[in-house]
Amino acid sequence: MLDKLIRKKGGEAKAENEDRPVLDETVIPRHVAIIMDGNGRWAKKRSLPRIAGHHEGMKTVRKITREADRLGIKVLTLYAFSTENWKRPKPEVEFLMRLPEEFLGTYLPELVERNVRVRMIGDHEHLPPHTGRAITRAMEATADNDGLILNFAMNYGSRAEITEAVRSIAKAVAENRIGADEIDESMITGALMTAELPEPDLLIRTSGEVRLSNFMLWQLAYTEFWFTDTLWPDFDENRLQEAIAVYQARNRRYGGVDKEDTD
Ligand code: V0D
């Protein structure tokens, strides 16, 4: 099935096997966004505490960051903690809030070395101070890097982000800096926390859930979606390549006809 869709640039034969599709290096998504789901389920299957799944999921973050960089992806956005995640048991939240420090303590030198720039979106004002400090330090240490942008969505909720954008624009109107008639889509796009980033080309959600869970609602308007049953700790280079192969198959032009015109 999949292999029928995947061809090399010249149109000749395809992948060696289903796990390692042949990718068209000229059609790599610029921005890939991932909802990293299934860490708790991964742990449960092994009779481990949920935090063991989160810890294993952190290793997958490193693996996928490296592969995204190798493939030439420019922006990787990872949904690490939603505004809804505060409802989890306190010990679990406390463990999660230590992960950025552990991740950066281990991998920041590697990120600097690989020219990766760390960024974040979300409400970082209300993170525990130790968490906020670790992330701020990483953003500062990588601010001049111009390679892959590794963008963590932390304490992020899309409706809150849009609400804040609307509030800032309303203020500009109230203070007569702009007129209401001047508000357009690009102004709203520019007032979001993703203003400097291209829109995601591909959204991946792991672990079989098929919903957006308040993630980048405005930004995903034209994004291709790919869902997999694979749990985040089991996600790997091959799965990322499979997602990109599907993205490429969907984006392929048939007989010179634009994809918008093929229906
Ligand atoms: C747990 C799966 C890396 C999702 C991945 C606090 C749930 C592992 C980070 C991280 C988490 C965040 C910011 C940063 C560097 C690393 C992370 C959280 C959860 C939420 F600058 N993994 N990771 N943050 N998990």
Side-chain angles (χ1 to χ4, degrees):
M1 14 119 343
L2 223 196
D3 31 48
K4 280 206 185 121
L5 297 168
I6 299 158
R7 275 165 221 297
K8 282 189 177 169
K9 251 179 274 175
E12 79 267 35
K14 31 101 232 166
E16 303 89 65
N17 60 60
E18 208 173 326
D19 266 6
R20 280 249 170 215
V22 175
L23 294 179
D24 179 345
E25 285 156 45
T26 68
V27 193
I28 296 297
R30 264 205 305 174
H31 183 175
V32 175
I34 308 183
I35 302 176
M36 308 182 286
D37 205 359
N39 304 287
R41 213 171 315 158
W42 181 93
K44 195 174 180 191
K45 279 201 335 197
R46 286 164 178 74
S47 305
L48 295 169
R50 289 173 57 80
I51 58 171
H54 296 317
H55 197 264
E56 194 66 22
M58 190 182 70
K59 298 185 197 162
T60 309
V61 169
R62 187 245 185 172
K63 195 162 58 182
I64 294 308
T65 300
R66 289 185 61 152
E67 182 66 3
D69 189 25
R70 197 188 68 77
L71 289 168
I73 290 165
K74 300 288 183 221
V75 185
L76 179 65
T77 294
L78 301 175
Y79 203 1
F81 195 88
S82 77
T83 46
E84 284 74 42
N85 287 157
W86 294 109
K87 294 177 201 151
R88 293 180 179 184
K90 199 166 173 233
E92 184 177 338
V93 170
E94 279 172 3
F95 181 87
L96 285 167
M97 288 301 159
R98 292 283 171 193
L99 286 180
E101 287 148 280
E102 183 177 351
F103 180 92
L104 295 166
T106 311
Y107 301 125
L108 184 56
E110 181 180 319
L111 296 175
V112 171
E113 157 93 20
R114 290 178 183 272
N115 194 28
V116 173
R117 181 170 179 192
V118 177
R119 291 200 22 148
M120 68 158 285
I121 55 172
D123 174 11
H124 48 288
E125 309 272 281
H126 296 97
L127 293 174
H130 62 87
T131 313
R133 273 197 302 270
I135 298 171
T136 302
R137 210 170 64 85
M139 292 195 296
E140 286 170 359
T142 62
D144 295 330
N145 292 352
D146 59 4
L148 174 73
I149 295 175
L150 177 57
N151 182 36
F152 287 101
M154 288 276 297
N155 194 18
Y156 174 84
S158 183
R159 288 182 175 184
E161 178 191 35
I162 293 169
T163 303
E164 188 50 43
V166 168
R167 193 175 289 142
S168 73
I169 293 168
K171 252 190 176 162
V173 174
E175 295 167 5
N176 289 312
R177 285 183 277 123
I178 58 162
D181 299 343
E182 290 175 68
I183 299 170
D184 59 6
E185 291 187 9
S186 77
M187 189 181 292
I188 295 171
T189 299
L192 299 173
M193 291 182 285
T194 50
E196 310 94 282
L197 303 175
E199 287 179 1
D201 302 295
L202 174 63
L203 171 79
I204 297 171
R205 182 167 188 159
T206 58
S207 188
E209 307 300 339
V210 186
R211 47 176 184 270
L212 286 181
S213 302
N214 200 18
F215 185 56
M216 297 184 106
L217 302 176
W218 178 275
Q219 296 89 338
L220 295 170
Y222 297 102
T223 304
E224 296 287 342
F225 290 4
W226 187 76
F227 298 94
T228 176
D229 287 337
T230 301
L231 307 177
W232 177 250
D234 294 326
F235 196 82
D236 63 8
E237 294 87 345
N238 292 338
R239 292 276 77 74
L240 180 62
Q241 289 188 28
E242 184 188 346
I244 294 171
V246 170
Y247 167 84
Q248 293 185 345
R250 291 183 194 166
N251 275 271
R252 196 151 289 130
R253 287 157 184 246
Y254 294 97
V257 180
D258 231 72
K259 68 169 178 156
E260 307 275 347
D261 301 329
T262 48
D263 51 38

